[in-house]
Amino acid sequence: ILYVFFCGKYFKHLSLIKKLMKQFILFVAILFTGFSFGQTNSRAKNSPHEIYEKVDKDATFPGGLNAFRNIFSQRFNANNVKANARVVKTSISFIVERDGTISSVKAVGQNSSFNWEAINTVKKINIKWKPALINKQPVRQRYKMPLTMNFE
């Protein structure tokens, strides 16, 4: 069939067929581009139970992160920490809920007494945060904060 197409009587229509194929490919490309740009944002439907890490606006503590750190350092009881090293590190994570409260406080570090005191100190701070926002709606956000303490 291809031999007849290229060598036979259809050869004079080859330029017309090429032009139609280019238009068809362009049409398909535009059609699929419209589908990809027409997709809705999966974050638009905010689940009340989902925990987000990427949001439009992060959760904030009244007065900022420095205010949170100051309150944390005032309420942290270093006497409850048994440390063999001069420098102790942990990473605290918690969820800022849709109403601004804190839940699921965890600490990951090598010193268990330091982790325990860090968790209890965060739980003692009962000041509400401004929740994170997606599409101007409050959502749950995981918040992480490294913590390093020098013991002399």
Side-chain angles (χ1 to χ4, degrees):
I1 296 174
L2 290 175
Y3 178 76
V4 171
F5 178 73
F6 287 113
C7 298
K9 61 181 178 178
Y10 299 106
F11 188 70
K12 61 183 173 182
H13 299 292
L14 185 60
S15 63
L16 177 63
I17 291 172
K18 283 184 179 179
K19 186 176 181 181
L20 288 174
M21 285 298 288
K22 286 181 183 178
Q23 289 177 348
F24 176 73
I25 292 171
L26 180 63
F27 171 74
V28 170
I30 290 171
L31 181 68
F32 283 118
T33 303
F35 282 133
S36 65
F37 285 118
Q39 297 294 318
T40 59
N41 186 349
S42 62
R43 298 186 315 165
K45 298 175 185 172
N46 299 336
S47 168
H49 304 291
E50 189 168 349
I51 301 166
Y52 296 90
E53 294 197 21
K54 293 184 179 180
V55 295
D56 296 337
K57 185 174 181 187
D58 286 321
T60 55
F61 188 77
L65 186 57
N66 285 336
F68 180 78
R69 287 183 179 162
N70 287 337
I71 294 171
F72 182 90
S73 64
Q74 291 170 0
R75 296 186 183 180
F76 188 88
N77 187 354
N79 294 328
N80 292 338
V81 178
K82 294 169 182 44
N84 295 333
R86 287 188 78 210
V87 178
V88 183
K89 297 180 181 184
T90 192
S91 178
I92 303 169
S93 70
F94 51 88
I95 296 171
V96 178
E97 296 289 343
R98 294 163 54 123
D99 64 356
T101 58
I102 292 175
S103 67
S104 301
V105 182
K106 298 176 185 173
V108 178
Q110 292 183 346
N111 187 315
S112 60
S113 64
F114 186 63
N115 293 341
W116 184 84
E117 185 59 30
I119 290 169
N120 286 334
T121 303
V122 170
K123 288 180 178 179
K124 288 178 201 173
I125 302 172
N126 54 6
I127 300 170
K128 286 191 174 186
W129 289 57
K130 286 185 179 179
L133 301 175
I134 294 178
N135 295 331
K136 299 181 182 178
Q137 298 296 317
V139 295
R140 301 172 78 204
Q141 182 184 25
R142 182 174 316 281
Y143 197 87
K144 296 177 185 176
M145 184 175 82
L147 180 63
T148 303
M149 194 162 264
N150 294 321
F151 291 95
E152 295 178 11

